[in-house]
Amino acid sequence: MVNVLKGVLVECDPAMKQFLLYLNETSALGKKFIIQDLGDTHVFILAEVVHILQERVGELMDQNSFPITQK
Amino acid sequence: VALTAAKGVLRVQLQCKNLHEYLKELSPEILDRLYNHPATCLAVYRELPPLAKNYVMRMLFLDQPLPQAAVALWVKKDSEKDHDQCVSVLSGLRLWHSQQLQGGLQGNILNPVFKDNLRIALLGGGKSWADQGDSLGPDRHARDVESLDKYALERWEVVLHFMVGCPSAAVSQDLSQLLIQAGLMRTEAGDAPCITSAGFQFLLLDTASQLWYFTLQYLNTAQTRGMDLVEILSFLFQLSFSTLGRDYSVEGMSESLLTFLQHLREFGLVFQRKRKSRRYYPTRLAITLSAGVSANSSSTAMGAAPGTGDSGFIVVETNYRLYAYTNSELQIALVALFSECLYRFPNVVVAQVTRESVQQAIANGITAQQILHFLRTRAHPVMLKQNPVLPPTITDQIRLWELERDRLQFSEGVLYNQFLSQADFEVLRDRAQGLGCLVWQNVAHRVIVVSPQGHGEVKRFWKRQKSHT
């Protein structure tokens, strides 16, 4: 029989995907949210974590950016 | 207005249609009535691509249909594409249609209404388009071109000020209603209207596009107000052929046209000294209106930009600093939409383009492309001397800041895996593809993802398959 799962498909670059795997392993969002790992650039995740995931990614980008200008 | 959904945030993108696209959407009867006015025919003709103009000219004085084969012979073999495009433009605007010739061939003939009126437009004759103000005698309160321009700019800026939320700008109920209907502002339960993301994008456009978009929205709602679309459109085209600085009389204009004239007065497209005045002056904004969107995207708008007052006034440096040489509240408010204002002097505002400010603007629905377009079209003459106009570091960085938010792309779906055989997988995959709901597949691991809308259909199909085998 075929297995049928509902969720959200995420497409991103390989670096971002590693970040998602890291969040998944450490259960940083409160639980494991990756249903299936689909390759270098795609993962299948639970639908409800989409918003928190966006926030986390935003935080990561904020951490990695430095103000380049002087006032 | 096209909608693109990006990760849960709905981004509305403004699309400015040009004259032809708008006309194509009208129903055939309305188009035919529109072509009853020489001014409209001339305006539509002006906007045709050169090859189409050539065709129209050749067929203008023919009273019989011309075989399609003959028309196809007018272009060389390698310009087939241009010919096809031309044919589709002319048919889309209903400027010509096919008719059967006597020999059984298909022929083309120009729309007779269009043909007659274009002839009138080109050769003269017919009714005069607009009543010259001569019958009223010379105007004691005549306005010259400069003051007309100033007036037009002032009125249009009041509308924009109102959108940005300056408390000093006050517009009529009608106008704010129109803005809400156009999706540029929204109002919640009795509060004052506040701007939407489409409104932000609208603000960053240049004046010609803004006017045109606004007019199109107005025309769309015209019918709900009980105004006659054809009358209004013809009047608009007539206006676009009037002479700047000359007054025209309101004799013979119907009630709805008079109301329309009052609205135009509010946008700054015409000037009338008092509501009951019997003469009006078209301003530069009205005359450039039907030149519309197509002509403006290149640099032509910059030097002689009507309605923006000064020519470009923004200097952008490679250290992300922005200097805006203006003291117009509106322009400063627009610059502040996507940058952090640092200092303000009597003639200059110093701002900085930062990651936070740009991402804030993007969260409000403005795209990087629009910010760059805004900066380019208002670039100071000093900036215009360099090529490219804006420093590449700045343009690239603004785009990168926008892309940061797009690192993850989500699409809802249903995952099918663990197929028992390759054949099963292929059958289901092909069915999903046929239905157009296949989002992603991996042949090596036999996994497919189907969109939620297609899932029901695919499941039923699968059950039927199972019961057959």
Side-chain angles (χ1 to χ4, degrees), chain B residues 5 134 143 153 184 189 237 278 325 348 365 369 411 418 446:
Chain B
D134 307 335
R143 287 295 187 111
L153 174 59
L184 297 175
F237 287 130
R278 279 175 313 150
Y325 288 87
V348 107
Q369 191 50 36
S411 32
Q418 292 169 15
R446 297 194 208 146

Side-chain angles (χ1 to χ4, degrees), chain B residues 117-129:
Chain B
N117 283 288
L118 190 59
R119 280 193 210 170
I120 295 179
L122 293 175
L123 304 175
K127 278 191 330 172
S128 83
W129 293 359

Side-chain angles (χ1 to χ4, degrees), chain B residues 15 26 49 54 63 73 142 151 153 167 173 184 211 241 247 250 258 267 271 287 329 341 351 372 378 382:
Chain B
Q15 260 179 3
L26 296 176
N54 197 319
D63 281 324
L73 279 181
Y151 173 77
L153 174 59
Q173 192 63 349
L184 297 175
L211 266 178
F241 286 114
D247 56 329
V250 302
L258 285 172
F267 307 156
F271 169 73
I287 295 178
E329 286 296 334
C341 282
L372 295 175
R378 289 154 176 85
V382 157

Side-chain angles (χ1 to χ4, degrees), chain B residues 426-457:
Chain B
E426 275 171 17
V427 156
L428 203 58
R429 193 262 320 267
D430 293 335
R431 182 78 187 118
Q433 210 154 37
L435 286 170
C437 54
L438 184 67
V439 174
W440 183 78
Q441 58 168 310
N442 185 337
V443 185
H445 291 126
R446 297 194 208 146
V447 179
I448 60 171
V449 177
V450 170
S451 70
Q453 297 89 346
H455 170 60
E457 181 53 43

